[in-house]
Protein backbone atom coordinates (compact mmCIF):
# COMPACT_ATOMS: atom_id res chain seq x y z
CA UNK A 1 0.00 0.00 0.00
CA UNK A 2 1.17 3.50 -0.85
CA UNK A 3 0.16 5.98 1.83
CA UNK A 4 0.31 9.67 0.93
CA UNK A 5 0.17 12.12 3.83
CA UNK A 6 -0.76 15.61 2.65
CA UNK A 7 -0.65 18.61 4.91
CA UNK A 8 -3.55 21.01 4.38
CA UNK A 9 -3.13 24.41 2.73
CA UNK A 10 -2.44 27.54 4.75
CA UNK A 11 -5.36 28.58 6.94
CA UNK A 12 -7.00 32.00 6.89
CA UNK A 13 -6.32 32.90 10.54
CA UNK A 14 -2.95 33.50 12.25
CA UNK A 15 -4.35 32.16 15.52
CA UNK A 16 -3.27 28.78 16.80
CA UNK A 17 -5.27 25.79 15.48
CA UNK A 18 -8.64 27.47 14.98
CA UNK A 19 -11.09 25.71 12.67
CA UNK A 20 -11.20 28.14 9.75
CA UNK A 21 -11.19 27.98 5.96
CA UNK A 22 -8.15 28.18 3.73
CA UNK A 23 -6.50 31.49 2.99
CA UNK A 24 -6.05 32.68 -0.59
CA UNK A 25 -2.51 31.31 -0.42
CA UNK A 26 -3.84 28.01 0.87
CA UNK A 27 -6.16 27.71 -2.11
CA UNK A 28 -3.23 28.44 -4.44
CA UNK A 29 -1.09 25.80 -2.74
CA UNK A 30 -3.82 23.17 -3.05
CA UNK A 31 -4.48 24.10 -6.68
CA UNK A 32 -0.80 23.65 -7.54
CA UNK A 33 -0.75 20.26 -5.83
CA UNK A 34 -3.94 19.25 -7.66
CA UNK A 35 -2.19 19.86 -10.98
CA UNK A 36 0.81 17.87 -9.84
CA UNK A 37 -1.32 14.90 -8.72
CA UNK A 38 -3.70 14.96 -11.68
CA UNK A 39 -2.70 11.40 -12.62
CA UNK A 40 -3.11 9.98 -9.12
CA UNK A 41 -6.31 8.00 -8.56
CA UNK A 42 -6.48 6.94 -4.90
CA UNK A 43 -8.48 3.93 -3.81
CA UNK A 44 -9.32 5.76 -0.59
CA UNK A 45 -9.14 9.40 0.49
CA UNK A 46 -9.32 10.29 4.16
CA UNK A 47 -9.44 13.74 5.68
CA UNK A 48 -9.58 15.18 9.16
CA UNK A 49 -12.78 16.82 10.32
CA UNK A 50 -11.28 20.32 10.25
CA UNK A 51 -12.40 22.70 7.52
CA UNK A 52 -8.96 23.51 6.12
CA UNK A 53 -8.23 19.82 5.54
CA UNK A 54 -11.62 19.09 3.95
CA UNK A 55 -11.28 22.10 1.65
CA UNK A 56 -7.78 21.03 0.63
CA UNK A 57 -9.03 17.54 -0.25
CA UNK A 58 -11.88 19.02 -2.28
CA UNK A 59 -9.55 21.20 -4.33
CA UNK A 60 -7.06 18.41 -5.00
CA UNK A 61 -9.46 15.59 -5.80
CA UNK A 62 -12.66 17.42 -6.78
CA UNK A 63 -15.84 18.15 -4.87
CA UNK A 64 -17.45 14.92 -6.08
CA UNK A 65 -14.66 12.65 -4.83
CA UNK A 66 -15.63 10.22 -2.10
CA UNK A 67 -13.83 11.40 1.02
CA UNK A 68 -13.89 9.60 4.35
CA UNK A 69 -13.85 12.06 7.25
CA UNK A 70 -12.12 10.83 10.39
CA UNK A 71 -11.87 13.04 13.46
CA UNK A 72 -8.93 10.88 14.53
CA UNK A 73 -6.90 12.70 11.87
CA UNK A 74 -7.56 16.11 13.42
CA UNK A 75 -4.52 18.17 14.36
CA UNK A 76 -2.85 17.58 17.71
CA UNK A 77 -4.79 19.40 20.43
CA UNK A 78 -2.97 22.62 21.26
CA UNK A 79 -4.90 22.93 24.51
CA UNK A 80 -4.20 26.22 26.24
CA UNK A 81 -2.44 27.58 23.14
CA UNK A 82 -5.55 27.30 20.96
CA UNK A 83 -6.89 30.54 19.53
CA UNK A 84 -3.92 32.65 20.63
CA UNK A 85 -1.36 34.45 18.43
CA UNK A 86 1.99 32.66 18.12
CA UNK A 87 3.89 35.60 19.61
CA UNK A 88 1.71 35.54 22.71
CA UNK A 89 2.05 31.77 23.10
CA UNK A 90 5.82 31.94 22.85
CA UNK A 91 5.85 34.50 25.68
CA UNK A 92 3.28 32.91 27.99
CA UNK A 93 4.46 29.34 27.43
CA UNK A 94 8.18 30.04 27.24
CA UNK A 95 9.13 26.83 29.07
CA UNK A 96 7.15 24.68 26.65
CA UNK A 97 8.76 26.27 23.58
CA UNK A 98 12.19 25.91 25.17
CA UNK A 99 11.53 22.17 25.65
CA UNK A 100 10.29 21.98 22.08
CA UNK A 101 13.53 23.47 20.75
CA UNK A 102 15.39 20.79 22.73
CA UNK A 103 13.14 18.22 21.00
CA UNK A 104 12.12 16.58 24.26
CA UNK A 105 10.57 13.16 23.82
CA UNK A 106 6.76 12.90 23.88
CA UNK A 107 6.40 16.58 24.80
CA UNK A 108 2.83 17.35 25.85
CA UNK A 109 1.37 20.70 24.82
CA UNK A 110 0.09 22.65 27.86
CA UNK A 111 -3.50 21.55 28.35
CA UNK A 112 -3.33 19.54 25.13
CA UNK A 113 -2.11 16.25 23.71
CA UNK A 114 1.17 14.39 23.58
CA UNK A 115 2.57 12.91 20.35
CA UNK A 116 1.87 9.36 21.56
CA UNK A 117 -1.79 10.24 22.13
CA UNK A 118 -2.05 11.67 18.63
CA UNK A 119 -0.44 8.57 17.17
CA UNK A 120 -2.75 6.25 19.10
CA UNK A 121 -5.84 7.75 17.49
CA UNK A 122 -4.43 8.34 14.00
CA UNK A 123 -2.86 4.88 13.77
CA UNK A 124 -6.35 3.42 13.97
CA UNK A 125 -7.16 5.05 10.63
CA UNK A 126 -3.95 3.64 9.17
CA UNK A 127 -4.99 0.17 10.34
CA UNK A 128 -8.39 0.70 8.71
CA UNK A 129 -6.73 1.64 5.42
CA UNK A 130 -4.38 -1.35 5.51
CA UNK A 131 -7.18 -3.81 6.28
CA UNK A 132 -9.28 -2.40 3.43
CA UNK A 133 -6.85 -3.83 0.89
CA UNK A 134 -6.53 -0.46 -0.85
CA UNK A 135 -3.33 -0.03 -2.84
CA UNK A 136 -3.22 3.79 -2.86
CA UNK A 137 -4.44 5.78 0.12
CA UNK A 138 -4.35 9.52 0.82
CA UNK A 139 -4.67 11.24 4.18
CA UNK A 140 -5.26 15.00 4.05
CA UNK A 141 -4.37 15.99 7.56
CA UNK A 142 -2.08 18.17 9.70
CA UNK A 143 1.58 18.70 10.45
CA UNK A 144 1.49 17.27 13.96
CA UNK A 145 -0.40 14.20 12.85
CA UNK A 146 1.95 13.55 9.92
CA UNK A 147 5.06 13.86 12.08
CA UNK A 148 3.62 11.60 14.79
CA UNK A 149 2.56 9.00 12.21
CA UNK A 150 5.93 8.97 10.47
CA UNK A 151 7.82 8.58 13.76
CA UNK A 152 5.43 5.90 15.00
CA UNK A 153 5.06 3.91 11.78
CA UNK A 154 8.82 3.79 11.27
CA UNK A 155 9.29 2.32 14.73
CA UNK A 156 11.04 5.34 16.22
CA UNK A 157 8.19 5.92 18.63
CA UNK A 158 5.69 8.72 18.16
CA UNK A 159 7.34 10.51 21.08
CA UNK A 160 10.22 11.31 18.71
CA UNK A 161 7.89 13.36 16.52
CA UNK A 162 9.96 16.53 16.91
CA UNK A 163 12.85 14.81 15.12
CA UNK A 164 10.73 14.43 11.97
CA UNK A 165 11.52 17.73 10.23
CA UNK A 166 11.47 21.09 11.97
CA UNK A 167 8.27 21.90 10.10
CA UNK A 168 6.26 20.72 7.12
CA UNK A 169 5.28 22.97 4.23
CA UNK A 170 1.59 23.44 3.56
CA UNK A 171 0.35 20.93 0.95
CA UNK A 172 3.62 19.02 1.23
CA UNK A 173 3.65 15.33 0.33
CA UNK A 174 4.98 12.62 2.61
CA UNK A 175 4.85 9.09 1.25
CA UNK A 176 5.17 5.75 3.04
CA UNK A 177 4.95 2.24 1.64
CA UNK A 178 3.51 -0.66 3.60
CA UNK A 179 4.93 -4.13 2.93
CA UNK A 180 2.60 -7.03 3.67
CA UNK A 181 5.53 -9.43 3.66
CA UNK A 182 7.58 -7.41 6.13
CA UNK A 183 4.52 -6.04 7.97
CA UNK A 184 6.10 -2.61 8.25
CA UNK A 185 6.27 0.82 6.64
CA UNK A 186 9.17 2.43 4.81
CA UNK A 187 9.57 6.16 4.18
CA UNK A 188 9.82 7.09 0.50
CA UNK A 189 9.70 10.90 0.76
CA UNK A 190 9.14 13.56 3.38
CA UNK A 191 7.91 17.16 3.08
CA UNK A 192 8.02 17.11 -0.73
CA UNK A 193 6.84 20.54 -1.91
CA UNK A 194 8.22 20.61 -5.46
CA UNK A 195 4.91 22.07 -6.70
CA UNK A 196 5.69 25.25 -4.74
CA UNK A 197 9.06 25.83 -6.41
CA UNK A 198 9.43 29.39 -7.64
CA UNK A 199 6.61 30.56 -5.38
CA UNK A 200 8.47 31.86 -2.33
CA UNK A 201 5.35 33.67 -1.11
CA UNK A 202 3.69 30.28 -0.61
CA UNK A 203 6.44 28.82 1.59
CA UNK A 204 6.55 28.85 5.39
CA UNK A 205 9.49 31.24 5.33
CA UNK A 206 7.20 33.94 3.92
CA UNK A 207 4.98 34.04 7.00
CA UNK A 208 6.81 32.46 9.95
CA UNK A 209 8.91 35.00 11.77
Amino acid sequence: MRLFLIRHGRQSSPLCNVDVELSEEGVQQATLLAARLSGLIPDRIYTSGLLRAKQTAGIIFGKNAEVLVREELNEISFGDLTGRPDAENKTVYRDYFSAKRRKEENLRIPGGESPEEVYARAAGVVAEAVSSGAETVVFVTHGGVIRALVAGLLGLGAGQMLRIADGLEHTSLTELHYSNEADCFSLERLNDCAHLEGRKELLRSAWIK
Side-chain angles (χ1 to χ4, degrees):
M1 181 185 80
R2 301 172 72 196
L3 175 60
F4 294 91
L5 306 176
I6 298 175
R7 190 184 181 196
H8 61 83
R10 190 183 305 171
Q11 68 182 35
S12 59
S13 171
L15 302 181
C16 178
N17 200 35
V18 288
D19 190 11
V20 295
E21 64 186 8
L22 295 176
S23 65
E24 180 181 342
E25 293 84 0
V27 172
Q28 292 177 37
Q29 292 164 333
T31 301
L32 289 168
L33 182 57
R36 183 180 179 191
L37 297 182
S38 60
L40 180 69
I41 304 176
D43 298 306
R44 286 196 169 203
I45 304 167
Y46 292 88
T47 180
S48 89
L50 299 180
L51 181 57
R52 57 191 184 272
K54 291 189 287 187
Q55 285 185 324
T56 300
I59 292 170
I60 296 171
F61 298 107
K63 294 182 179 180
N64 295 324
E66 182 179 357
V67 176
L68 303 170
V69 178
R70 297 290 184 269
E71 303 290 333
E72 293 87 349
L73 296 178
N74 284 8
E75 177 61 294
I76 187 170
S77 170
F78 281 84
D80 299 338
L81 281 65
T82 303
R84 294 172 176 259
D86 286 346
E88 179 180 328
N89 279 330
K90 289 177 180 178
T91 298
V92 175
Y93 300 101
R94 185 178 293 106
D95 290 345
Y96 163 74
F97 282 95
S98 177
K100 186 177 180 181
R101 288 192 296 274
R102 295 194 302 273
K103 301 185 185 298
E104 288 190 5
E105 184 174 354
N106 203 37
L107 180 63
R108 180 182 297 278
I109 297 175
E113 287 183 294
S114 71
E116 289 183 356
E117 288 170 339
V118 175
Y119 178 74
R121 57 176 167 86
V125 187
V126 175
E128 176 187 335
V130 170
S131 65
S132 74
E135 294 184 2
T136 303
V137 175
V138 172
F139 286 4
V140 182
T141 181
H142 307 267
V145 175
I146 293 171
R147 295 166 78 190
L149 280 175
V150 170
L153 293 175
L154 293 181
L156 304 175
Q160 299 294 344
M161 178 187 92
L162 294 178
R163 298 189 180 190
I164 306 298
D166 286 331
L168 300 177
E169 293 289 346
H170 288 101
T171 66
S172 63
L173 283 171
T174 294
E175 181 181 357
L176 298 115
H177 288 184
Y178 175 73
S179 166
N180 287 296
E181 184 177 3
D183 188 25
C184 69
F185 281 89
S186 59
L187 180 64
E188 302 301 320
R189 52 179 158 169
L190 175 72
N191 197 29
D192 177 354
C193 56
H195 52 287
L196 303 181
E197 287 183 2
R199 299 292 302 273
K200 292 183 179 180
E201 76 279 9
L202 298 182
L203 297 177
R204 286 168 53 87
S205 57
W207 62 277
I208 290 186
K209 305 300 182 184

